[in-house]
Amino acid sequence: MRIGIDRMAFATTNDYLDLVELAKARNVDPNKYTIGIGQDQQAVVPPTQDIVTLGAAAAQKLLTPALMKNISTLIVATESGIDNSKAAAIYIKRLLGLNDFVRTVEMKEACYSATAGIQFARGIVALNPQETVLVIASDIARYGLDTPGEVTQGAGAVAMLISQNPHILNLEDTTVPYSKDIMDFWRPLYATEALVDGKYSTNVYIDFFKQTFTRYQQLTGRDLADFAAIAFHLPFTKMGKKGLESLLGERKDEVASRLRQQLKASQIYSRKVGNLYTGSLYLSLMSLLQNGNLNVGDRIGLFSYGSGAEGEFYTGILEEGYQNYMSNVEMDLARRHKVSVAKYEQLFNNQLGMKSEDVEFDDRNDPLPFVLKGQKNHQRIYLIKKN
Ligand code: HMG
């Protein structure tokens, strides 16, 4: 049975920060951010947005009444959870108007869990081919003001429908997961910002990519020439380059130049949004599919990495008409509004975070369809602004 990604949609916040302006405010050479790290802009999160509102906004773009009827399961992958017990998926299910006979669950393993969600979804569809699974990767990447990780922050959600006879990517059977207990990046329960051993994390990422790709080669007999492109988890766009170059080395042949070109296409959106944690690989895939030089039937590799750490290398074959089943990311990014460094810092400090008191936010300037209106009696209040 052919099972894979049938539809994809992306949502981010309406505000963004120019990283040249951030570099100047931090007394850093802007080239370090734009060339050394490979980021131009990053999403700025107002207090009225969180992983529930962003996840619902992404999913709403791909749903139609007919598609909603077939959804049996909603998986929300996130490491920015808003509750230690209740799944974000239950809030999102209500905001989207999905029926009550839908299984709803939240998954976590740093930036990796959306990939686990997709693999689990394949199993559900294989057992019940008439069912579809909605997987939403939604996160807010937060490191703290004036930290080395600050330039790699970001926010947004990618929603994906997993079904039989998919319209975008038919996922192939061989997939290589790989995990080890490693402290490269983590966030204790009492912290709103991640702790990270940054340089170490980049080395572990590269090691996991090599481990999974080498095993994939052993299992399938395929090599780089069998790929039209490889999409990477992009915590910052330079990381994808480091990953790819770790395999290409000095190669300058046709395969190497093709993969380098396609990598550039996959980095375009992440450059403007920043790290989406769980959603990053899938925004990279959307960027590749919307900007790359691809043909129906092409094989695409996907490298998923989540700190802690877990990686997975898997592949899919591009389907006829794939361009027609994704939301228009370029259009969404063009609509955003630039904020100053001072405004970004103010918004950064005004998040609900761990606050326990009642609060009401002003949502008048937030154009997204779902907003976090505030908190009352320890309960988050979500509003549907428009459908
Ligand atoms: P840093 O110490 O500020 O930067 O931290 P640096 O000094 O290493 O410089 C970065 C690059 O800029 C270097 O290039 C410099 O040479 C270059 P590289 O050697 O890496 O190719 N550079 C310049 N280039 C041009 N002009 C200049 C200039 N100056 C310097 N003037 C670091 C960088 C990434 C470590 C930091 O931002 C960080 O800690 N980020 C967060 C952690 C992270 O993203 N890790 C990635 C792998 S782990 C992962 O992907 C999982 C994750 O998504 C979380 C999850 O799973 O949930 C993070």
Side-chain angles (χ1 to χ4, degrees), residues 341-370:
V341 175
K343 179 74 181 171
Y344 143 70
E345 290 180 345
Q346 185 215 326
L347 293 170
F348 185 95
N349 289 324
N350 282 352
Q351 300 294 308
L352 186 51
M354 301 271 179
K355 290 185 198 114
S356 58
E357 62 269 21
D358 288 356
V359 56
E360 187 172 331
F361 296 129
D362 180 355
D363 63 337
R364 277 172 302 179
N365 292 326
D366 191 334
L368 267 72
F370 306 102

Side-chain angles (χ1 to χ4, degrees), residues 50-273:
D50 68 8
I51 56 138
V52 167
T53 55
L54 289 169
Q60 193 189 49
K61 291 182 191 178
L62 60 70
L63 293 178
T64 63
L67 290 170
M68 283 165 75
K69 277 195 200 125
N70 293 333
I71 293 174
S72 72
T73 304
L74 167 55
I75 298 173
V76 173
T78 186
E79 58 176 297
S80 326
I82 52 135
D83 192 292
N84 285 328
S85 297
K86 181 168 171 168
I90 298 197
Y91 295 97
I92 294 182
K93 195 208 85 170
R94 173 177 61 81
L95 294 175
L96 293 175
L98 293 174
N99 81 72
D100 289 346
F101 293 98
V102 170
R103 186 184 293 116
T104 47
V105 71
E106 180 173 316
M107 291 179 52
K108 177 176 70 184
E109 174 15 54
C111 300
Y112 165 76
S113 63
T115 299
I118 289 171
Q119 299 300 349
F120 297 167
R122 290 174 74 181
I124 291 172
V125 176
L127 275 175
N128 305 289
Q130 75 290 352
E131 294 184 5
T132 61
V133 179
L134 178 58
V135 178
I136 301 175
S138 187
D139 265 313
I140 293 173
R142 221 178 124 88
Y143 289 91
L145 302 177
D146 211 358
T147 61
E150 182 179 35
V151 63
T152 69
Q153 296 178 133
V158 177
M160 293 169 276
L161 214 50
I162 308 301
S163 74
Q164 68 167 332
N165 303 323
H167 285 107
I168 299 178
L169 206 61
N170 174 22
L171 298 178
E172 296 185 291
D173 286 344
T174 305
T175 146
V176 183
Y178 184 80
S179 59
K180 275 187 170 184
D181 185 358
I182 278 169
M183 296 307 280
D184 63 331
F185 166 109
W186 66 104
R187 185 164 63 85
L189 286 177
Y190 49 79
T192 53
E193 281 96 51
L195 302 175
V196 60
D197 188 342
K199 298 258 164 59
Y200 178 53
S201 72
T202 61
N203 293 334
V204 179
Y205 175 113
I206 292 168
D207 177 47
F208 274 44
F209 175 52
K210 285 181 169 167
Q211 295 283 356
T212 53
F213 190 77
T214 305
R215 176 108 176 112
Y216 176 84
Q217 284 183 301
Q218 288 161 353
L219 292 172
T220 61
R222 294 187 187 120
D223 63 25
L224 286 175
D226 293 302
F227 290 89
I230 298 178
F232 288 83
H233 163 56
L234 295 177
F236 52 96
T237 68
K238 179 77 157 296
M239 194 65 242
K241 185 171 184 316
K242 285 174 188 275
L244 184 62
E245 294 302 331
S246 75
L247 283 193
L248 293 181
E250 298 299 307
R251 276 180 72 166
K252 291 197 168 59
D253 54 82
E254 198 193 314
V255 172
S257 69
R258 177 179 75 225
L259 294 175
R260 287 190 180 107
Q261 271 312 112
Q262 305 282 37
L263 177 73
K264 283 199 184 118
S266 76
Q267 293 166 323
I268 291 172
Y269 298 153
S270 296
R271 256 192 179 273
K272 299 181 182 172
V273 183

